[in-house]
Amino acid sequence: MKHLLSAADLDHDEAVAVLDAAERMAATQAREIKKLPTLRGQTVVNLFFEDSTRTRISFETAAKRLSADVINFSPKGSSVSKGESLKDTVLTLGAMRADAIVVRHPASGAPSRIAGSTWTDASVITAGDGTHQHPTQALLDAMTIRRHLKAGAGDLAGRDLAGLSVMIVGDVLHSRVARSGVDLFTTLGAEVTLVAPATLLPVGVETWPAARFYDLDRALAEAPPDALMMLRVQRERMSSAGGGFFPSPQEYTREYGLDARRAAALAPHAIVLHPGPMNRGLEITSEAADGPRSVVVEQVANGVAVRMAVLYLAMTGEKEPAV
Ligand code: NCD
């Protein structure tokens, strides 16, 4: 794997192999010395044209745990604010011999444009492009789901998500997390259900390999999930507060929010995920976000292991980690 641009690039066995590699990486993180020498002498550039807390810090942590040097680039304070193009920015990074470029960009397709160009021969990893893809988020979600719901059978290695039902609720329209998740979870054999008001589902959603509901309580009753993923309402991608996508925040919360009542009605083994950042009180109440089913903090921890695995596989060209 030279690049990871989209969750759809991974076939079933490749996806399972990345999850297995992430488990191996996670095991190294329980050691007293967490740092591995594997990527010593290599340079990872975090090229983030959009704000991020956990994804950028997670990639930085992952690269450093593998002993790579890390350069964090953001357009504020750089020549991008003087109008420098993506091409010239990447040519500059290429000239500095970056070995991997982790890209977050508001334009869907920007990472693919870089990977397909002659501007650099670095590995390119998508860290969120517009409403398109966020493959390492889908992988960390799959890792979290697999750990919770597939561990009963013994060793996790080689296991997929077959037989599990994953429900994704909320602002699917603006969500690269939803798109990547639908791709990866179905590749791994899970059933995916989307729940959203019609205004927050994209054109063409009927061609996605996922069932659809417009009513959350009905969906929870008719297609009870093993894993329930709440999406952030992406107000920055809407023109005004609700942008006309829903009547009011109160109504959104009433119809589509996860509260203690809905969380308590889930199957006893079911888990609740959220990619963060959470709008507490809008798509999820604090009681549900901090409740016994919530795996939100584990998702963040698993993100480091997944990104270690992806950087390792992309930058070394190996099929599995020797760690
Ligand atoms: C997500 C993103 O940026 O796409 N956040 C993240 O990476 N953890 C989801 C979001 O912003 O809602």
Short mmCIF file of all heavy atoms in Angstrom, two decimals, residues 54-55 104 134 137 176-177 232 234 275-277, ligand 1:
data_model
loop_
_atom_site.label_atom_id
_atom_site.label_comp_id
_atom_site.label_asym_id
_atom_site.label_seq_id
_atom_site.Cartn_x
_atom_site.Cartn_y
_atom_site.Cartn_z
N ARG A 54 -8.09 16.12 17.03
CA ARG A 54 -7.61 14.76 17.30
C ARG A 54 -6.91 14.11 16.11
O ARG A 54 -5.95 13.38 16.30
CB ARG A 54 -8.71 13.90 17.91
CG ARG A 54 -9.82 13.48 17.04
CD ARG A 54 -11.10 13.41 17.82
NE ARG A 54 -11.68 14.75 17.87
CZ ARG A 54 -12.21 15.32 18.91
NH1 ARG A 54 -12.28 14.69 20.03
NH2 ARG A 54 -12.67 16.55 18.85
N THR A 55 -7.36 14.39 14.89
CA THR A 55 -6.73 13.71 13.75
C THR A 55 -5.28 14.15 13.59
O THR A 55 -4.39 13.33 13.38
CB THR A 55 -7.53 13.96 12.46
OG1 THR A 55 -8.89 13.55 12.69
CG2 THR A 55 -6.98 13.16 11.30
N ARG A 104 -5.27 16.93 4.94
CA ARG A 104 -6.67 17.32 5.21
C ARG A 104 -6.95 18.58 4.41
O ARG A 104 -6.19 19.55 4.49
CB ARG A 104 -6.90 17.57 6.70
CG ARG A 104 -8.29 18.15 6.95
CD ARG A 104 -8.69 18.13 8.39
NE ARG A 104 -9.04 16.79 8.83
CZ ARG A 104 -9.78 16.53 9.89
NH1 ARG A 104 -10.24 17.51 10.64
NH2 ARG A 104 -10.05 15.29 10.22
N HIS A 134 -12.45 9.84 4.78
CA HIS A 134 -11.63 9.95 5.99
C HIS A 134 -11.29 8.52 6.40
O HIS A 134 -11.79 8.00 7.40
CB HIS A 134 -12.43 10.68 7.07
CG HIS A 134 -11.65 11.16 8.25
ND1 HIS A 134 -10.31 10.87 8.44
CD2 HIS A 134 -12.03 11.91 9.31
CE1 HIS A 134 -9.92 11.44 9.57
NE2 HIS A 134 -10.94 12.07 10.12
N GLN A 137 -10.30 7.28 9.92
CA GLN A 137 -11.40 7.33 10.90
C GLN A 137 -12.24 6.06 10.79
O GLN A 137 -12.58 5.44 11.81
CB GLN A 137 -12.27 8.56 10.64
CG GLN A 137 -13.47 8.68 11.58
CD GLN A 137 -13.09 9.05 13.01
OE1 GLN A 137 -12.24 9.91 13.21
NE2 GLN A 137 -13.70 8.41 14.00
N ARG A 176 -17.77 12.97 5.72
CA ARG A 176 -16.80 12.03 5.12
C ARG A 176 -16.64 10.80 6.02
O ARG A 176 -16.26 9.74 5.56
CB ARG A 176 -15.46 12.73 4.92
CG ARG A 176 -14.95 13.44 6.17
CD ARG A 176 -14.02 14.56 5.80
NE ARG A 176 -13.50 15.28 6.95
CZ ARG A 176 -12.98 16.49 6.88
NH1 ARG A 176 -12.93 17.14 5.74
NH2 ARG A 176 -12.49 17.08 7.96
N VAL A 177 -16.95 10.97 7.32
CA VAL A 177 -16.89 9.83 8.23
C VAL A 177 -17.94 8.80 7.83
O VAL A 177 -17.67 7.59 7.79
CB VAL A 177 -17.09 10.29 9.70
CG1 VAL A 177 -17.14 9.10 10.63
CG2 VAL A 177 -15.99 11.26 10.11
N ARG A 232 -21.53 14.26 13.98
CA ARG A 232 -21.61 15.66 14.35
C ARG A 232 -22.45 16.43 13.32
O ARG A 232 -22.32 16.21 12.12
CB ARG A 232 -20.20 16.28 14.38
CG ARG A 232 -20.16 17.74 14.81
CD ARG A 232 -18.73 18.19 14.99
NE ARG A 232 -18.01 18.21 13.73
CZ ARG A 232 -17.99 19.24 12.88
NH1 ARG A 232 -18.66 20.35 13.17
NH2 ARG A 232 -17.31 19.18 11.76
N GLN A 234 -22.65 19.31 11.19
CA GLN A 234 -21.51 20.11 10.70
C GLN A 234 -21.97 21.51 10.32
O GLN A 234 -22.11 21.85 9.14
CB GLN A 234 -20.84 19.40 9.52
CG GLN A 234 -20.37 18.01 9.91
CD GLN A 234 -19.24 17.48 9.05
OE1 GLN A 234 -18.61 18.20 8.28
NE2 GLN A 234 -18.98 16.20 9.18
N PRO A 275 -17.27 10.39 16.21
CA PRO A 275 -15.90 10.69 15.76
C PRO A 275 -15.27 11.89 16.47
O PRO A 275 -14.05 12.06 16.42
CB PRO A 275 -16.07 10.98 14.27
CG PRO A 275 -17.48 11.46 14.13
CD PRO A 275 -18.26 10.70 15.17
N GLY A 276 -16.12 12.73 17.13
CA GLY A 276 -15.64 13.97 17.69
C GLY A 276 -15.32 14.94 16.55
O GLY A 276 -15.06 14.49 15.44
N PRO A 277 -15.36 16.22 16.81
CA PRO A 277 -15.77 16.84 18.07
C PRO A 277 -17.28 16.75 18.27
O PRO A 277 -18.03 16.86 17.33
CB PRO A 277 -15.33 18.31 17.90
CG PRO A 277 -15.29 18.53 16.41
CD PRO A 277 -14.95 17.21 15.80
C1 NCD B 1 -14.40 14.29 11.72
C2 NCD B 1 -13.92 15.01 10.49
O1 NCD B 1 -13.12 15.95 10.58
O2 NCD B 1 -14.34 14.60 9.43
N1 NCD B 1 -13.66 14.49 12.88
C3 NCD B 1 -12.55 13.76 13.08
O3 NCD B 1 -11.70 13.63 12.23
N2 NCD B 1 -12.43 13.14 14.26
C4 NCD B 1 -15.83 14.45 11.95
C5 NCD B 1 -16.37 15.81 12.17
O4 NCD B 1 -15.67 16.82 12.06
O5 NCD B 1 -17.56 15.87 12.44
#
